[in-house]
Amino acid sequence: MKNVCYTAFLLFVLTVNCTLAQPPGATIDVQHYIFNIDLNDNDNTIACKAKVALKFIKNAKSFNLDLVKKNAAGKGMLVTSVTENGKAINFLQNADNVSISAAGVAGSTHTYSINYSGIPADGLIISTNKYGKRTFFGDNWPNRAHNWLVSVDHPADKASVDFVVSAPAHYDVIANGLKVNETPLPQNKKQTHWRETAQLSTKIMVIGVADFAIQQSANINGLPVYNYVFPQDSVKGFKSYAYAKEILPFFINKIGPYAYKKLANVQSKTIFGGMENAGAIFYFEDSPGSRDIESLMAHEIAHQWFGDAASEKNFYNLWLSEGFATYLTHYYLENKYGIDTLKKRLIADRIKVTAFEKDRFTPVVDSTVKDNYMPLLNANSYEKGSWVLHMLRRKLGDEVFWKGIKQYYALYNGKNANTDDFRKVMEKASGKELAVFFKQWLKTAGHPVLKISYDTSTEKGKIVVKVEQQQPVLYEMPLEYIINKQSFTVNIKNRLTTFKVQLPINEITFDPNVNTLAEIIMADATYRVKK
């Protein structure tokens, strides 16, 4: 009966799905995965029976799926069979993929079964938590899923997914989607089945298997919110994760509908402080009681919209994920605690951006990083990307900016975008040409360095303020300043910009509202001129 249900569901998926953004040169578009995974407490070997439903994008005699092969150290996966409708298919397993000798014509759909087993070299972290209890946590970002999941391990190939996990009965299992059922098995084991019908990249497909204390903390318009924490941390864990009840409706109201059918906040053991797995966010072990838990949760929940539902086409455009989550965190905290909180966070981010550029001078959209994408987790992707959104918000105004953000999410929910896709949406929403803005802030390395000086010798009763761009590449931007509590703006474009100020004045303050990603260097301090 279970196989019949799977077959019917796969036929449904293959019927309704369409080809979305794909990796360059892709032969196939995966529509749906079913991973039947068997775990045990005797060793770290996992056994997987995977079903991969896919559509051929073009005529081909074979295709590849990503999977790390068992190595000399004994880590990795060994494929034992590939079949279609019970018929054996020839395959060749290489170091990082499985080449499957199955022909297909463009538009045709197929479902392949792949059996494999082994000890994951990465991706599924099998370990013990701080209390010495055994745990299993998926940890796929950026392209580490194929250490344990046979897949197209690229953010542009999205698919729905079922996880059917068999494990010792004392464990609780969390995964993407909704729980379909939980069934006792012989030998004191149980099977837990989770299904996610939304389109996911492999980077956010996960399972978490541990001894958990579980709480449903809220129901937001029919959307259940759960907390999964280690039993020893249940009191402070449930208290810490309660911020989700505020954060989730805030982003729903500001951006658009939540893409998934639940939100689970999960204490875990992974390499990141937080990982935005779709509908099942993993937080680091010591997150319960952490002083920064609210901002961390806001960041990871914001990712459910940007990075998860609306994803980047490739990791070079990572700022569309991390920059968005960073700025949305600032925005949430601004609305809760006030504008000064936003200013303080932007100032701290500006320091990080300028410091990072001394170590690595590269644009935000950085295509020079190959294979290992971990270096893209940097101040460009996070803090500078966030700053770009802040300056765009100030350039367009709140009403137009948030209108564009909503339209961008609505258009790319379940799909993939790059920086130019986002630019076009914001141009349409605002009616403004934004190519120069996007090029200088996202595709050009560096930032403006403004040396500000002035003199009183040129014209009696006035001072002449000089703003000199000292960086090699010129920027176009507004620069705010305040004279005697009155606000003004000067447009900076050339190497040297000058403007006159009538005396007497008490002081001049530049960028008082923290709206410019620039270093401001004052030539002297006469007239109490301040940054």
Side-chain angles (χ1 to χ4, degrees):
M1 192 64 153
K2 187 178 292 183
N3 288 335
V4 172
C5 292
Y6 280 0
T7 301
F9 183 63
L10 288 173
L11 287 173
F12 170 76
V13 169
L14 289 169
T15 300
V16 301
N17 258 344
C18 60
T19 301
L20 303 175
Q22 295 299 311
T27 300
I28 59 170
D29 173 24
V30 178
Q31 308 289 289
H32 185 70
Y33 297 102
I34 298 173
F35 296 111
N36 280 271
I37 300 172
D38 188 83
L39 307 175
N40 71 86
D41 275 340
N42 298 320
D43 57 36
N44 290 344
T45 299
I46 70 170
C48 185
K49 298 179 179 179
K51 290 182 181 289
V52 182
L54 58 86
K55 178 185 293 185
F56 278 85
I57 298 173
K58 55 188 177 183
N59 297 344
K61 295 181 179 179
S62 65
F63 64 94
N64 291 343
L65 292 174
D66 300 316
L67 187 67
V68 172
K69 186 178 181 180
K70 186 176 181 179
N71 59 26
K75 296 288 186 69
M77 297 294 139
L78 185 64
V79 177
T80 54
S81 68
V82 178
T83 61
E84 182 182 15
N85 296 323
K87 180 181 178 181
I89 304 292
N90 291 330
F91 67 92
L92 176 64
Q93 188 171 9
N94 304 303
D96 285 307
N97 61 59
V98 183
S99 179
I100 299 174
S101 300
V105 298
S108 64
T109 57
H110 304 260
T111 300
Y112 299 96
S113 298
I114 302 105
N115 291 342
Y116 61 93
S117 62
I119 300 173
D122 199 356
L124 181 65
I125 308 302
I126 305 174
S127 183
T128 55
N129 65 19
K130 61 182 180 178
Y131 298 109
K133 300 296 184 178
R134 185 169 168 84
T135 60
F136 306 75
F137 286 106
D139 200 17
N140 293 342
W141 199 95
N143 56 348
R144 294 155 55 222
H146 69 292
N147 284 281
W148 64 294
L149 300 178
V150 62
S151 59
V152 176
D153 198 8
H154 189 283
D157 194 313
K158 289 186 166 184
S160 50
V161 62
D162 280 47
F163 281 107
V164 185
V165 180
S166 298
H170 67 90
Y171 288 119
D172 296 295
V173 178
I174 182 66
N176 311 108
L178 292 177
K179 187 186 291 187
V180 176
N181 57 53
E182 193 171 77
T183 308
L185 296 176
Q187 299 178 332
N188 200 29
K189 298 185 75 173
K190 69 179 177 184
Q191 183 184 85
T192 309
H193 181 179
W194 290 86
R195 173 175 294 162
E196 178 54 79
T197 58
Q199 300 292 298
L200 307 184
S201 303
T202 50
K203 64 176 182 171
I204 52 173
M205 291 181 183
V206 291
I207 61 171
V209 182
D211 297 329
F212 285 119
I214 305 170
Q215 175 199 53
Q216 181 173 349
S217 62
N219 189 298
I220 309 296
N221 298 326
L223 176 69
V225 180
Y226 298 99
N227 299 321
Y228 282 68
V229 301
F230 303 145
Q232 299 88 340
D233 290 332
S234 60
V235 174
K236 63 180 178 181
F238 292 159
K239 181 179 179 181
S240 292
Y241 291 173
Y243 283 114
K245 293 185 288 186
E246 299 177 58
I247 298 167
L248 184 61
F250 177 83
F251 288 140
I252 290 173
N253 291 334
K254 198 65 194 180
I255 304 168
Y258 181 74
Y260 312 111
K261 294 183 175 65
K262 71 140 185 346
L263 174 61
N265 296 288
V266 184
Q267 185 181 9
S268 68
K269 185 165 185 179
T270 69
I271 67 173
F272 301 111
M275 181 58 214
E276 63 268 18
N277 312 302
I281 300 172
F282 288 179
Y283 301 96
F284 71 107
E285 275 194 292
D286 291 327
S287 58
S290 168
R291 58 181 291 185
D292 297 321
I293 188 62
E294 184 176 21
S295 60
L296 174 61
M297 293 187 73
H299 184 99
E300 302 307 332
I301 293 173
H303 268 310
Q304 303 297 295
W305 282 262
F306 300 109
D308 290 9
S311 308
E312 62 275 15
K313 286 181 178 176
N314 53 53
F315 289 112
Y316 310 136
N317 289 274
L318 183 61
W319 84 277
L320 292 172
S321 173
E322 298 300 348
F324 271 61
T326 301
Y327 191 63
L328 286 169
T329 300
H330 295 343
Y331 184 70
Y332 163 77
L333 295 172
E334 173 195 356
N335 276 264
K336 185 172 181 178
Y337 298 110
I339 189 66
D340 286 345
T341 296
L342 174 64
K343 290 179 182 180
K344 289 176 183 178
R345 295 177 72 87
L346 287 169
I347 290 169
D349 286 357
R350 187 164 56 191
I351 293 170
K352 291 180 182 179
V353 171
T354 55
F356 172 73
E357 288 178 358
K358 295 176 182 177
D359 294 328
R360 182 175 172 80
F361 193 72
T362 183
V364 172
V365 181
D366 182 6
S367 60
T368 64
V369 177
K370 305 294 183 183
D371 300 324
N372 177 19
Y373 299 111
M374 289 293 184
L376 289 174
L377 298 176
N378 59 42
N380 267 0
S381 299
Y382 287 77
E383 286 83 8
K384 190 172 183 180
S386 170
W387 253 104
V388 170
L389 290 173
H390 179 66
M391 291 186 292
L392 186 60
R393 177 185 168 194
R394 293 296 186 243
K395 182 180 180 69
L396 302 182
D398 269 29
E399 182 178 353
V400 173
F401 175 79
W402 290 112
K403 173 186 173 184
I405 294 296
K406 289 180 178 180
Q407 290 177 349
Y408 171 65
Y409 173 69
L411 182 60
Y412 288 101
N413 180 8
K415 303 175 185 177
N416 300 77
N418 61 25
T419 298
D420 286 336
D421 294 325
F422 175 58
R423 173 182 58 80
K424 291 173 184 176
V425 172
M426 299 307 287
E427 286 180 335
K428 184 176 180 180
S430 65
K432 293 184 178 181
E433 188 275 327
L434 298 172
V436 172
F437 178 91
F438 274 69
K439 180 180 179 181
Q440 68 183 18
W441 293 112
L442 294 165
K443 298 184 178 182
T444 303
H447 64 276
V449 179
L450 307 179
K451 181 180 179 181
I452 299 178
S453 61
Y454 46 87
D455 69 68
T456 58
S457 62
T458 306
E459 192 169 339
K460 186 177 180 180
K462 296 181 180 180
I463 61 171
V464 177
V465 181
K466 300 178 181 180
V467 183
E468 180 185 358
Q469 296 197 57
Q470 295 196 314
Q471 76 286 344
V473 178
L474 297 181
Y475 282 71
E476 296 182 24
M477 75 195 113
L479 177 63
E480 297 173 282
Y481 62 96
I482 288 180
I483 299 176
N484 299 340
K485 298 183 180 181
Q486 187 174 357
S487 180
F488 302 89
T489 299
V490 59
N491 291 317
I492 306 298
K493 183 175 182 180
N494 301 316
R495 178 67 64 189
L496 179 65
T497 301
T498 64
F499 60 95
K500 298 176 183 179
V501 176
Q502 184 72 46
L503 294 174
I505 63 172
N506 292 326
E507 63 179 1
I508 303 178
T509 303
F510 292 94
D511 191 28
N513 294 307
V514 195
N515 289 325
T516 304
L517 181 58
E519 288 184 79
I520 298 177
I521 302 171
M522 303 306 302
D524 54 57
T526 307
Y527 295 107
R528 294 167 56 199
V529 176
K530 296 182 178 181
K531 287 186 182 180

